[in-house]
Coordinates of all heavy atoms in Angstrom, one line a residue:
T403 N 1.0 7.8 19.2 CA 0.2 8.2 18.1 C 0.9 7.7 16.8 O 2.1 7.3 16.8 CB 0.1 9.8 18.0 OG1 1.4 10.3 17.8 CG2 -0.4 10.3 19.4
N404 N 0.2 8.0 15.7 CA 0.7 7.5 14.5 C 1.0 8.7 13.6 O 1.2 8.5 12.4 CB -0.3 6.5 13.8 CG -0.4 5.2 14.5 OD1 0.6 4.6 14.9 ND2 -1.6 4.8 14.7
K405 N 1.2 9.9 14.1 CA 1.4 11.1 13.4 C 2.9 10.9 12.7 O 3.8 10.5 13.3 CB 1.4 12.3 14.2 CG 1.8 13.5 13.5 CD 1.5 14.8 14.4 CE 2.7 15.1 15.2 NZ 2.6 16.4 15.9
I406 N 2.9 11.3 11.4 CA 4.2 11.4 10.8 C 4.4 12.8 10.2 O 3.5 13.4 9.8 CB 4.2 10.4 9.5 CG1 4.0 9.0 9.9 CG2 5.5 10.7 8.7 CD1 3.9 8.1 8.7
T407 N 5.6 13.3 10.6 CA 6.0 14.6 10.0 C 7.2 14.5 9.1 O 8.2 13.8 9.6 CB 6.4 15.6 11.2 OG1 5.3 15.7 12.1 CG2 6.8 17.0 10.7
L408 N 7.1 15.0 7.9 CA 8.3 14.8 6.9 C 8.5 16.1 6.3 O 7.6 16.7 5.8 CB 7.9 13.7 5.9 CG 8.9 13.4 4.8 CD1 10.1 12.7 5.4 CD2 8.3 12.6 3.7
T409 N 9.7 16.5 6.1 CA 10.1 17.7 5.4 C 9.8 17.4 3.8 O 10.2 16.3 3.4 CB 11.5 18.1 5.6 OG1 11.7 18.3 7.0 CG2 11.9 19.3 4.7
R410 N 9.0 18.3 3.2 CA 8.7 18.1 1.8 C 9.9 17.7 1.0 O 11.0 18.4 1.2 CB 8.1 19.3 1.3 CG 7.6 19.1 -0.2 CD 6.8 20.3 -0.7 NE 7.6 21.5 -0.7 CZ 7.2 22.7 -1.2 NH1 5.9 22.8 -1.5 NH2 8.0 23.6 -1.3
G411 N 9.9 16.7 0.2 CA 11.0 16.3 -0.6 C 12.1 15.4 0.0 O 13.0 15.0 -0.6
D412 N 11.9 15.1 1.3 CA 12.8 14.2 1.9 C 12.5 12.8 1.7 O 11.3 12.5 1.3 CB 12.9 14.4 3.3 CG 13.8 15.7 3.8 OD1 14.3 16.4 2.9 OD2 13.9 16.0 5.0
T413 N 13.4 11.8 2.0 CA 13.1 10.3 1.9 C 12.6 9.9 3.3 O 13.2 10.3 4.4 CB 14.4 9.7 1.6 OG1 14.9 10.1 0.3 CG2 14.1 8.1 1.6
L414 N 11.6 9.1 3.2 CA 11.0 8.5 4.6 C 11.3 7.0 4.4 O 10.9 6.3 3.5 CB 9.7 8.7 4.7 CG 8.9 8.1 5.8 CD1 9.3 8.7 7.2 CD2 7.4 8.0 5.7
K415 N 11.8 6.3 5.5 CA 12.0 5.0 5.6 C 11.5 4.7 7.0 O 12.1 5.1 8.0 CB 13.4 4.4 5.5 CG 13.9 4.4 4.0 CD 15.3 3.7 3.9 CE 15.8 3.7 2.5 NZ 17.0 2.9 2.5
C416 N 10.5 3.8 7.1 CA 9.7 3.6 8.3 C 9.4 2.1 8.4 O 8.7 1.6 7.6 CB 8.5 4.5 8.4 SG 7.5 4.4 9.9
Q417 N 9.9 1.6 9.6 CA 9.7 0.1 9.8 C 8.2 0.0 10.3 O 7.8 0.7 11.3 CB 10.6 -0.4 10.9 CG 10.4 -1.9 11.3 CD 10.7 -2.8 10.1 OE1 11.9 -2.7 9.6 NE2 9.9 -3.6 9.7
I418 N 7.5 -0.8 9.7 CA 6.0 -1.0 10.1 C 6.0 -2.3 10.9 O 6.5 -3.3 10.4 CB 5.1 -1.2 8.8 CG1 5.4 0.1 7.9 CG2 3.8 -1.3 9.1 CD1 5.0 1.5 8.5
N419 N 5.3 -2.2 12.0 CA 5.2 -3.4 12.9 C 3.7 -3.7 13.1 O 2.9 -2.9 13.3 CB 5.8 -3.2 14.3 CG 7.4 -2.9 14.0 OD1 8.0 -3.7 13.5 ND2 7.8 -1.8 14.6
L420 N 3.4 -5.0 13.0 CA 2.0 -5.5 13.2 C 2.1 -6.6 14.3 O 3.0 -7.4 14.1 CB 1.4 -6.0 11.9 CG -0.1 -6.5 11.8 CD1 -1.0 -5.4 12.4 CD2 -0.3 -7.0 10.5
S421 N 1.2 -6.5 15.2 CA 1.3 -7.6 16.2 C 0.0 -8.1 16.6 O -1.1 -7.5 16.4 CB 2.0 -7.0 17.5 OG 1.3 -5.9 18.0
Y422 N -0.1 -9.2 17.2 CA -1.3 -9.9 17.7 C -1.7 -9.2 19.0 O -1.0 -8.3 19.6 CB -1.0 -11.4 18.0 CG -0.7 -12.3 16.8 CD1 0.5 -12.6 16.5 CD2 -1.7 -12.7 16.1 CE1 0.8 -13.4 15.4 CE2 -1.5 -13.4 14.9 CZ -0.2 -13.8 14.6 OH 0.1 -14.5 13.6
S423 N -2.9 -9.4 19.4 CA -3.5 -8.7 20.5 C -2.7 -9.0 21.9 O -2.7 -8.2 22.8 CB -5.0 -9.1 20.8 OG -5.1 -10.5 20.9
D424 N -1.9 -10.1 21.9 CA -1.1 -10.4 23.1 C 0.3 -9.8 23.0 O 1.1 -9.9 23.9 CB -0.9 -12.0 23.2 CG -0.1 -12.6 22.1 OD1 0.3 -11.9 21.2 OD2 0.0 -13.8 22.2
G425 N 0.5 -9.0 21.9 CA 1.8 -8.3 21.8 C 2.9 -8.9 21.0 O 3.9 -8.3 20.7
S426 N 2.7 -10.2 20.7 CA 3.7 -10.9 19.8 C 3.6 -10.4 18.4 O 2.5 -10.0 17.9 CB 3.4 -12.4 19.9 OG 2.1 -12.7 19.4
P427 N 4.8 -10.4 17.8 CA 4.9 -9.8 16.5 C 4.1 -10.7 15.4 O 4.2 -11.9 15.5 CB 6.3 -9.7 16.2 CG 6.9 -10.7 17.1 CD 6.1 -10.8 18.2
Y428 N 3.5 -10.1 14.5 CA 3.0 -10.9 13.3 C 4.0 -10.8 12.3 O 4.5 -9.8 11.8 CB 1.6 -10.2 12.8 CG 1.2 -10.9 11.5 CD1 0.5 -12.2 11.7 CD2 1.3 -10.3 10.2 CE1 0.1 -12.8 10.5 CE2 0.9 -11.1 9.1 CZ 0.3 -12.3 9.2 OH -0.1 -13.0 8.2
I429 N 4.3 -12.0 11.8 CA 5.3 -12.1 10.6 C 4.4 -12.4 9.4 O 3.7 -13.4 9.3 CB 6.2 -13.3 10.8 CG1 7.0 -13.2 12.1 CG2 7.2 -13.4 9.7 CD1 7.8 -11.9 12.4
P430 N 4.4 -11.6 8.4 CA 3.7 -11.7 7.2 C 3.9 -13.0 6.5 O 5.0 -13.5 6.4 CB 4.0 -10.5 6.3 CG 4.5 -9.5 7.2 CD 5.2 -10.2 8.4
A431 N 2.8 -13.6 6.0 CA 2.9 -14.9 5.3 C 2.9 -14.6 3.8 O 2.5 -13.5 3.4 CB 1.6 -15.7 5.7
K432 N 3.3 -15.6 3.1 CA 3.3 -15.6 1.7 C 1.9 -15.3 1.2 O 0.9 -15.9 1.6 CB 3.8 -16.9 1.1 CG 3.9 -16.8 -0.4 CD 4.4 -18.1 -1.0 CE 4.6 -18.0 -2.5 NZ 5.2 -19.1 -3.1
G433 N 1.7 -14.3 0.4 CA 0.4 -13.9 -0.2 C -0.2 -12.6 0.5 O -1.2 -12.1 0.0
D434 N 0.3 -12.3 1.7 CA -0.1 -11.1 2.4 C 0.3 -9.8 1.6 O 1.3 -9.9 0.9 CB 0.4 -11.0 3.8 CG -0.2 -12.0 4.8 OD1 -1.2 -12.6 4.4 OD2 0.4 -12.1 5.9
K435 N -0.4 -8.9 1.7 CA -0.2 -7.7 0.9 C -0.4 -6.4 1.9 O -1.5 -6.5 2.6 CB -1.0 -7.4 -0.3 CG -0.7 -8.4 -1.3 CD -1.5 -8.2 -2.6 CE -1.1 -9.1 -3.7 NZ -2.0 -10.1 -4.1
C436 N 0.5 -5.4 1.9 CA 0.4 -4.4 2.7 C 0.5 -3.1 2.0 O 1.2 -2.9 1.0 CB 1.5 -4.3 3.8 SG 1.3 -3.2 5.2
R437 N -0.3 -2.0 2.3 CA -0.3 -0.8 1.5 C -0.5 0.4 2.4 O -1.1 0.3 3.5 CB -1.3 -0.8 0.3 CG -2.8 -0.8 0.9 CD -3.5 0.6 0.7 NE -4.7 0.7 1.3 CZ -5.1 1.4 2.3 NH1 -4.2 2.0 3.0 NH2 -6.3 1.4 2.7
F438 N 0.1 1.6 1.9 CA 0.0 2.9 2.6 C -0.8 3.7 1.6 O -0.6 3.7 0.4 CB 1.4 3.4 2.7 CG 1.4 4.9 3.0 CD1 1.5 5.3 4.3 CD2 1.5 5.9 2.0 CE1 1.6 6.6 4.7 CE2 1.6 7.2 2.3 CZ 1.7 7.6 3.6
A439 N -1.7 4.4 2.2 CA -2.5 5.3 1.3 C -2.6 6.7 2.0 O -2.7 6.8 3.3 CB -4.0 4.8 1.2
M440 N -2.5 7.8 1.2 CA -2.5 9.2 1.8 C -3.4 10.1 0.9 O -3.4 10.0 -0.3 CB -1.2 9.7 1.8 CG -1.1 11.1 2.5 SD 0.6 11.6 2.8 CE 0.9 12.8 1.4
K441 N -4.2 10.9 1.6 CA -5.2 11.9 0.9 C -5.0 13.2 1.6 O -4.6 13.3 2.7 CB -6.6 11.3 1.1 CG -6.9 10.1 0.3 CD -8.4 9.7 0.6 CE -8.8 8.5 0.1 NZ -10.3 8.3 0.2
K442 N -5.4 14.2 0.9 CA -5.4 15.6 1.5 C -6.6 15.6 2.5 O -6.3 16.1 3.7 CB -5.6 16.7 0.5 CG -5.7 18.0 1.0 CD -4.3 18.4 1.7 CE -4.5 19.9 2.2 NZ -3.3 20.2 3.2
V443 N -7.7 15.1 2.2 CA -8.9 15.1 3.0 C -9.4 13.7 3.0 O -9.5 13.1 2.0 CB -9.9 16.1 2.6 CG1 -11.2 16.0 3.4 CG2 -9.4 17.5 2.5
Y444 N -9.7 13.2 4.2 CA -10.1 11.8 4.4 C -11.3 11.5 3.4 O -11.2 10.4 2.9 CB -10.6 11.6 5.8 CG -11.3 10.2 6.1 CD1 -10.4 9.2 6.2 CD2 -12.6 10.1 6.2 CE1 -10.9 7.9 6.4 CE2 -13.1 8.8 6.4 CZ -12.2 7.7 6.5 OH -12.7 6.5 6.8
S445 N -12.2 12.3 3.2 CA -13.5 12.0 2.4 C -13.2 12.1 0.9 O -13.9 11.8 0.1 CB -14.5 12.9 2.8 OG -14.2 14.2 2.6
D446 N -11.9 12.6 0.5 CA -11.6 12.7 -0.9 C -11.4 11.3 -1.6 O -10.8 10.4 -1.0 CB -10.3 13.5 -1.1 CG -9.9 13.9 -2.5 OD1 -10.6 13.3 -3.4 OD2 -9.1 14.7 -2.6
P447 N -12.1 11.2 -2.8 CA -12.0 9.8 -3.4 C -10.6 9.6 -4.0 O -10.4 8.4 -4.3 CB -13.1 9.9 -4.4 CG -13.3 11.3 -4.7 CD -13.0 12.1 -3.5
N448 N -9.8 10.6 -4.2 CA -8.5 10.4 -4.8 C -7.4 10.4 -3.9 O -7.3 11.1 -3.0 CB -8.3 11.6 -5.8 CG -9.4 11.6 -6.9 OD1 -9.7 10.6 -7.5 ND2 -9.9 12.9 -7.0
Y449 N -6.5 9.4 -4.1 CA -5.3 9.3 -3.3 C -4.2 10.2 -3.9 O -4.0 10.4 -5.1 CB -4.7 7.8 -3.4 CG -5.7 6.8 -2.8 CD1 -6.4 6.0 -3.7 CD2 -5.9 6.7 -1.5 CE1 -7.3 5.1 -3.2 CE2 -6.7 5.7 -0.9 CZ -7.5 5.0 -1.7 OH -8.2 4.0 -1.3
I450 N -3.4 10.8 -2.9 CA -2.2 11.6 -3.5 C -1.0 10.6 -3.6 O -0.3 10.7 -4.4 CB -1.9 12.6 -2.3 CG1 -3.1 13.6 -2.5 CG2 -0.6 13.3 -2.7 CD1 -3.0 14.7 -1.4
I451 N -0.9 9.6 -2.5 CA 0.2 8.6 -2.6 C -0.5 7.3 -2.3 O -1.4 7.2 -1.2 CB 1.2 8.9 -1.5 CG1 1.9 10.3 -1.7 CG2 2.3 7.8 -1.6 CD1 2.9 10.7 -0.6
L452 N -0.2 6.3 -3.1 CA -0.6 5.0 -2.7 C 0.5 4.0 -3.0 O 1.0 3.9 -4.1 CB -1.8 4.6 -3.6 CG -2.4 3.3 -3.4 CD1 -3.2 3.0 -2.1 CD2 -3.6 3.0 -4.5
K453 N 1.0 3.4 -2.0 CA 2.3 2.6 -2.1 C 2.1 1.2 -1.5 O 1.6 1.1 -0.5 CB 3.4 3.3 -1.3 CG 4.0 4.6 -2.0 CD 5.3 4.3 -2.5 CE 5.8 5.6 -3.0 NZ 7.1 5.4 -3.6
S454 N 2.6 0.2 -2.1 CA 2.8 -1.2 -1.6 C 3.9 -1.2 -0.5 O 5.0 -0.5 -0.9 CB 3.0 -2.2 -2.6 OG 1.9 -2.2 -3.4
I455 N 3.8 -1.7 0.5 CA 4.8 -2.0 1.5 C 5.3 -3.4 1.4 O 4.5 -4.4 1.5 CB 4.4 -1.7 2.9 CG1 3.9 -0.2 3.0 CG2 5.5 -2.0 4.0 CD1 3.2 0.1 4.4
P456 N 6.5 -3.7 1.0 CA 7.0 -5.1 0.9 C 6.8 -5.8 2.1 O 7.3 -5.4 3.2 CB 8.5 -4.9 0.5 CG 8.7 -3.4 0.1 CD 7.7 -2.7 0.8
T457 N 6.2 -7.0 2.1 CA 6.0 -7.8 3.3 C 7.2 -8.5 3.7 O 7.3 -9.0 4.9 CB 4.7 -8.7 3.1 OG1 5.1 -9.5 2.0 CG2 3.4 -8.0 3.0
D458 N 8.3 -8.6 3.0 CA 9.4 -9.2 3.4 C 10.4 -8.3 4.3 O 11.0 -8.9 5.0 CB 10.3 -9.8 2.2 CG 10.7 -8.7 1.3 OD1 10.1 -7.7 1.1 OD2 11.7 -8.9 0.6
T459 N 10.2 -7.0 4.1 CA 10.9 -6.1 5.0 C 9.9 -5.3 6.0 O 10.4 -4.7 7.0 CB 11.6 -5.1 4.1 OG1 10.8 -4.2 3.3 CG2 12.6 -5.8 3.2
M460 N 8.7 -5.2 5.6 CA 7.7 -4.2 6.2 C 8.3 -2.7 6.5 O 8.1 -2.2 7.4 CB 7.2 -4.8 7.5 CG 6.4 -6.1 7.3 SD 4.8 -5.8 6.3 CE 3.9 -4.9 7.6
I461 N 9.0 -2.3 5.4 CA 9.6 -0.9 5.5 C 8.8 -0.1 4.4 O 8.8 -0.4 3.2 CB 11.1 -0.9 5.2 CG1 11.8 -1.6 6.3 CG2 11.6 0.6 5.0 CD1 13.3 -1.8 6.1
L462 N 8.1 1.0 4.9 CA 7.5 1.9 4.1 C 8.5 2.9 3.6 O 9.4 3.4 4.4 CB 6.5 2.7 4.8 CG 5.8 4.0 4.2 CD1 5.2 3.6 2.9 CD2 5.0 4.7 5.1
K463 N 8.7 3.1 2.3 CA 9.7 4.1 1.8 C 9.0 5.0 0.9 O 8.3 4.7 -0.1 CB 10.7 3.4 1.0 CG 11.8 4.3 0.5 CD 12.9 3.7 -0.2 CE 14.0 4.7 -0.6 NZ 14.5 4.5 -2.0
L464 N 9.1 6.3 1.2 CA 8.6 7.4 0.3 C 9.9 8.1 -0.2 O 10.8 8.4 0.5 CB 7.8 8.4 1.2 CG 6.5 7.9 1.7 CD1 5.8 9.0 2.4 CD2 5.6 7.2 0.7
D465 N 9.9 8.2 -1.5 CA 11.0 8.9 -2.2 C 10.8 10.3 -2.3 O 9.5 10.8 -2.2 CB 11.1 8.2 -3.6 CG 11.5 6.8 -3.6 OD1 12.4 6.4 -2.8 OD2 10.8 6.0 -4.3
P466 N 11.8 11.1 -2.5 CA 11.7 12.6 -2.5 C 10.6 13.0 -3.6 O 9.8 13.9 -3.2 CB 13.0 13.1 -3.0 CG 14.0 12.0 -2.5 CD 13.3 10.7 -2.7
Q467 N 10.4 12.4 -4.7 CA 9.5 12.8 -5.7 C 8.0 12.5 -5.2 O 7.1 13.2 -5.7 CB 9.7 12.2 -7.0 CG 9.6 10.7 -7.1 CD 10.9 10.0 -6.8 OE1 11.9 10.5 -6.3 NE2 11.0 8.7 -7.3
D468 N 7.8 11.7 -4.2 CA 6.5 11.5 -3.7 C 5.9 12.7 -3.0 O 4.7 12.8 -3.0 CB 6.5 10.3 -2.7 CG 6.8 8.9 -3.4 OD1 6.4 8.7 -4.6 OD2 7.5 8.2 -2.8
T469 N 6.7 13.5 -2.4 CA 6.2 14.7 -1.6 C 6.7 16.0 -2.1 O 6.2 17.0 -1.8 CB 6.6 14.6 -0.1 OG1 8.0 14.6 0.0 CG2 6.0 13.3 0.5
K470 N 7.6 16.0 -3.1 CA 8.2 17.3 -3.5 C 7.3 18.3 -4.1 O 7.4 19.4 -3.8 CB 9.3 16.9 -4.6 CG 10.2 18.1 -5.0 CD 11.1 18.6 -3.9 CE 12.0 19.6 -4.3 NZ 12.6 20.3 -3.3
G471 N 6.2 17.8 -4.7 CA 5.2 18.7 -5.3 C 4.1 19.0 -4.5 O 3.1 19.7 -4.9
L472 N 4.0 18.5 -3.2 CA 2.9 18.7 -2.4 C 2.9 20.1 -1.6 O 4.0 20.5 -1.4 CB 2.8 17.6 -1.3 CG 2.6 16.1 -1.8 CD1 2.4 15.2 -0.7 CD2 1.3 16.1 -2.7
E473 N 1.7 20.5 -1.4 CA 1.6 21.8 -0.6 C 2.0 21.4 0.9 O 1.7 20.3 1.3 CB 0.2 22.3 -0.6 CG -0.3 22.7 -2.0 CD -1.7 23.3 -1.9 OE1 -2.3 23.4 -0.8 OE2 -2.2 23.5 -3.1
F474 N 2.5 22.4 1.5 CA 2.8 22.2 2.9 C 1.5 22.0 3.7 O 0.5 22.6 3.3 CB 3.5 23.4 3.6 CG 4.9 23.8 3.0 CD1 5.1 25.0 2.5 CD2 5.8 22.7 2.8 CE1 6.2 25.4 1.9 CE2 7.0 23.1 2.1 CZ 7.2 24.4 1.8
G475 N 1.4 21.2 4.7 CA 0.2 21.1 5.5 C -0.1 19.7 6.0 O 0.9 18.8 5.9
T476 N -1.2 19.4 6.5 CA -1.6 18.1 7.0 C -2.5 17.3 6.2 O -3.5 17.9 5.7 CB -2.3 18.4 8.4 OG1 -1.5 19.1 9.3 CG2 -2.7 17.1 9.1
Y477 N -2.1 16.1 6.0 CA -2.8 15.1 5.2 C -3.2 14.0 6.1 O -3.0 14.1 7.2 CB -1.9 14.6 4.0 CG -1.4 15.6 3.0 CD1 -0.4 16.6 3.4 CD2 -2.0 15.8 1.8 CE1 0.1 17.6 2.5 CE2 -1.6 16.8 0.9 CZ -0.6 17.7 1.3 OH -0.1 18.7 0.4
T478 N -3.9 12.9 5.5 CA -4.4 11.9 6.3 C -3.9 10.6 5.6 O -4.0 10.5 4.4 CB -6.0 11.9 6.3 OG1 -6.3 13.1 7.0 CG2 -6.4 10.7 7.1
Y479 N -3.3 9.6 6.3 CA -2.9 8.4 5.9 C -3.6 7.2 6.6 O -3.9 7.4 7.8 CB -1.4 8.3 5.7 CG -0.7 7.9 7.1 CD1 -0.4 6.7 7.3 CD2 -0.5 8.9 8.1 CE1 0.2 6.3 8.5 CE2 0.1 8.5 9.2 CZ 0.5 7.3 9.5 OH 1.0 6.9 10.7
D480 N -3.4 6.1 6.1 CA -3.7 4.8 6.8 C -2.9 3.7 6.2 O -2.3 3.9 5.2 CB -5.2 4.5 7.0 CG -5.8 4.0 5.6 OD1 -5.1 3.8 4.6 OD2 -7.0 3.8 5.5
I481 N -2.7 2.6 6.9 CA -1.9 1.4 6.5 C -2.8 0.3 6.7 O -3.4 0.1 7.9 CB -0.7 1.3 7.2 CG1 0.3 2.6 7.0 CG2 0.1 0.1 6.8 CD1 1.6 2.5 7.7
E482 N -2.9 -0.6 5.7 CA -3.8 -1.8 5.6 C -3.1 -3.0 5.2 O -2.2 -2.9 4.4 CB -4.9 -1.4 4.7 CG -6.0 -2.5 4.4 CD -6.9 -2.1 3.3 OE1 -7.9 -1.2 3.6 OE2 -6.7 -2.5 2.1
M483 N -3.5 -4.0 5.9 CA -2.9 -5.4 5.5 C -4.1 -6.2 5.0 O -5.2 -6.3 5.5 CB -2.4 -6.1 6.6 CG -1.8 -7.5 6.4 SD -0.3 -7.5 5.5 CE 0.9 -7.2 6.8
T484 N -3.8 -6.9 3.7 CA -4.8 -7.8 3.2 C -4.1 -9.1 3.3 O -3.0 -9.4 2.6 CB -5.1 -7.5 1.7 OG1 -5.7 -6.2 1.6 CG2 -6.1 -8.5 1.2
F485 N -4.6 -10.0 4.1 CA -4.0 -11.3 4.3 C -4.4 -12.2 3.2 O -5.2 -12.1 2.4 CB -4.6 -11.9 5.6 CG -4.3 -11.1 6.9 CD1 -5.1 -10.1 7.3 CD2 -3.0 -11.1 7.5 CE1 -4.8 -9.3 8.4 CE2 -2.7 -10.3 8.6 CZ -3.6 -9.4 9.0
D486 N -3.5 -13.2 3.1 CA -3.6 -14.3 1.9 C -5.1 -14.8 1.9 O -5.5 -15.1 0.7 CB -2.7 -15.4 2.2 CG -2.6 -16.3 1.1 OD1 -2.5 -15.8 -0.2 OD2 -2.6 -17.5 1.3
D487 N -5.8 -15.0 2.9 CA -7.1 -15.5 2.9 C -8.3 -14.4 2.4 O -9.5 -14.7 2.5 CB -7.6 -16.1 4.2 CG -7.8 -15.1 5.3 OD1 -7.6 -13.9 5.1 OD2 -8.0 -15.6 6.4
G488 N -7.8 -13.1 2.2 CA -8.7 -12.1 1.8 C -9.2 -11.2 2.9 O -9.8 -10.2 2.6
T489 N -8.8 -11.5 4.1 CA -9.2 -10.7 5.2 C -8.4 -9.4 5.1 O -7.2 -9.4 4.9 CB -8.9 -11.4 6.5 OG1 -9.6 -12.7 6.6 CG2 -9.3 -10.5 7.8
V490 N -9.2 -8.3 5.4 CA -8.5 -6.9 5.4 C -8.5 -6.4 6.7 O -9.5 -6.4 7.5 CB -9.3 -6.0 4.4 CG1 -8.7 -4.6 4.3 CG2 -9.3 -6.7 3.1
Y491 N -7.4 -5.8 7.2 CA -7.3 -5.2 8.5 C -6.5 -3.9 8.4 O -5.3 -3.8 8.0 CB -6.6 -6.1 9.4 CG -6.3 -5.6 10.8 CD1 -7.3 -5.1 11.5 CD2 -5.0 -5.7 11.3 CE1 -7.0 -4.6 12.9 CE2 -4.8 -5.2 12.6 CZ -5.7 -4.7 13.3 OH -5.6 -4.1 14.7
T492 N -7.2 -2.8 8.7 CA -6.6 -1.4 8.7 C -6.0 -1.2 10.1 O -6.7 -1.0 11.0 CB -7.5 -0.3 8.3 OG1 -8.2 -0.6 7.1 CG2 -6.9 1.1 8.3
F493 N -4.6 -1.5 10.2 CA -4.1 -1.6 11.5 C -3.5 -0.1 11.9 O -3.2 0.1 13.0 CB -2.9 -2.7 11.7 CG -1.8 -2.6 10.7 CD1 -0.6 -2.0 11.2 CD2 -2.0 -3.2 9.5 CE1 0.4 -2.0 10.3 CE2 -0.8 -3.1 8.6 CZ 0.3 -2.5 9.0
V494 N -3.3 0.7 11.0 CA -3.1 2.1 11.3 C -4.2 2.9 10.7 O -4.4 3.1 9.5 CB -1.7 2.7 10.7 CG1 -1.7 4.2 11.0 CG2 -0.6 1.9 11.3
T495 N -5.2 3.3 11.6 CA -6.3 4.0 11.2 C -6.0 5.4 10.8 O -4.9 5.9 11.0 CB -7.4 4.0 12.4 OG1 -6.9 4.6 13.4 CG2 -7.9 2.6 12.6
P496 N -6.9 6.1 10.0 CA -6.6 7.4 9.6 C -5.9 8.3 10.6 O -6.4 8.5 11.8 CB -8.0 8.0 9.2 CG -8.8 6.8 8.8 CD -8.3 5.8 9.8
S497 N -4.7 8.7 10.2 CA -3.8 9.5 11.1 C -3.1 10.7 10.4 O -3.1 10.7 9.1 CB -2.6 8.6 11.5 OG -3.2 7.5 12.2
P498 N -2.7 11.7 11.0 CA -2.1 12.9 10.5 C -0.7 12.6 9.8 O 0.2 12.0 10.4 CB -2.1 13.9 11.5 CG -2.1 13.2 12.8 CD -2.7 11.9 12.5
F499 N -0.5 13.1 8.6 CA 0.8 13.1 8.0 C 1.1 14.5 7.6 O 0.4 15.1 6.8 CB 0.7 12.3 6.6 CG 2.0 12.0 6.0 CD1 2.6 10.8 6.1 CD2 2.6 13.1 5.4 CE1 3.8 10.5 5.4 CE2 4.0 12.9 4.7 CZ 4.5 11.6 4.8
I500 N 2.1 15.2 8.2 CA 2.4 16.5 8.1 C 3.6 16.7 7.1 O 4.6 16.1 7.3 CB 2.7 17.2 9.4 CG1 1.6 17.1 10.4 CG2 3.1 18.7 9.2 CD1 1.8 17.4 11.7
V501 N 3.4 17.5 6.0 CA 4.4 17.7 5.0 C 4.9 19.1 5.5 O 4.1 20.2 5.4 CB 3.9 17.8 3.6 CG1 4.9 18.3 2.6 CG2 3.4 16.4 3.2
D502 N 6.0 19.1 6.0 CA 6.6 20.3 6.7 C 7.4 21.2 5.6 O 7.9 20.7 4.6 CB 7.6 19.9 7.8 CG 7.6 20.9 8.9 OD1 7.0 22.0 8.8 OD2 8.2 20.6 9.9
K503 N 7.7 22.4 6.1 CA 8.4 23.3 5.2 C 9.8 22.9 4.9 O 10.4 22.2 5.7 CB 8.4 24.8 5.7 CG 7.0 25.2 5.8 CD 7.0 26.6 6.5 CE 5.5 27.0 6.6 NZ 5.2 27.9 7.7
E504 N 10.3 23.4 3.8 CA 11.8 23.2 3.5 C 12.3 24.5 3.1 O 11.7 25.4 2.6 CB 11.9 22.2 2.3 CG 11.3 22.7 1.0 CD 11.4 21.7 -0.2 OE1 12.3 20.9 -0.1 OE2 10.5 21.8 -1.0
V505 N 13.7 24.5 3.4 CA 14.3 25.9 3.0 C 14.9 25.8 1.6 O 14.8 26.7 0.8 CB 15.5 26.2 4.0 CG1 16.2 27.4 3.6 CG2 14.9 26.4 5.4
Y506 N 15.3 24.5 1.2 CA 16.0 24.3 -0.1 C 15.2 23.3 -0.9 O 14.8 22.3 -0.5 CB 17.5 23.9 0.0 CG 18.2 23.6 -1.2 CD1 18.5 24.6 -2.1 CD2 18.4 22.3 -1.6 CE1 19.2 24.3 -3.2 CE2 19.0 22.1 -2.7 CZ 19.4 23.0 -3.5 OH 20.1 22.8 -4.7

């Protein structure tokens, strides 16, 4: 599954992998763009978090301030690649992102 659970206000570093249908890894080309988007409700027109994922590392990083002010609960996210030729591929379809409780 693509479920992510993160304690509110923590840092998230997540390696993002994209592969061809035969299982071989896709190495992003110059001009490709990757993004992470998160909403409280899938149908909401407003994003809570919208981040570019650097294609040279393919590491999604959320900083503490990205989630520190969020309510605890389940959100929805997806990850999309826009290839240099303009083709768009959502390779992580809408999935749960849980902002978990923190003590401090």
